[in-house]
Amino acid sequence: MAMQYDVKSAHLEATGTAVSGRVRLKGYQCLSGGTAGDIIFRNGGSGGTNLLQFNVPANTNNPFANLIPGEGILFDTDIHVTVPTSAKVTIFYG
């Protein structure tokens, strides 16, 4: 099986669709903005299936990053990201 090398990125500073179309989430980098809450990655818009969720603390400017193992998480429709107030997220996809 051939590996995929064409990784791209998208940045969000508010809840919304980061990427449209069928893609794989390869990793992310987040910056908490002072409000604790969950960052949620959904397939198919704001009401879509929750494929990844994690909590960010209320600390300001608390960066963290994670690479997704294997080929990443497959999103069939799009990658919709819900972020707490003032949080920011950059995703890596392909």
Side-chain angles (χ1 to χ4, degrees):
M1 178 153 93
M3 293 195 62
Q4 184 178 8
Y5 293 101
D6 55 338
V7 176
K8 299 173 184 165
S9 67
H11 181 76
L12 285 159
E13 295 189 13
T15 295
T17 299
V19 182
S20 295
R22 181 182 165 99
V23 296
R24 289 183 179 272
L25 179 66
K26 306 283 189 166
Y28 57 85
Q29 180 176 6
C30 300
L31 183 65
S32 60
T35 303
D38 290 339
I39 294 182
I40 306 169
F41 293 84
R42 289 188 174 94
N43 180 37
S46 61
T49 304
N50 179 344
L51 297 183
L52 175 65
Q53 180 174 345
F54 56 91
N55 187 267
V56 293
N59 301 346
T60 58
N61 299 323
N62 184 20
F64 57 96
N66 192 25
L67 295 175
I68 307 296
E71 293 295 315
I73 300 172
L74 177 63
F75 288 74
D76 292 321
T77 307
D78 58 29
I79 299 177
H80 184 277
V81 186
T82 301
V83 296
T85 303
S86 300
K88 299 173 173 111
V89 63
T90 298
I91 66 165
F92 303 97
Y93 66 95

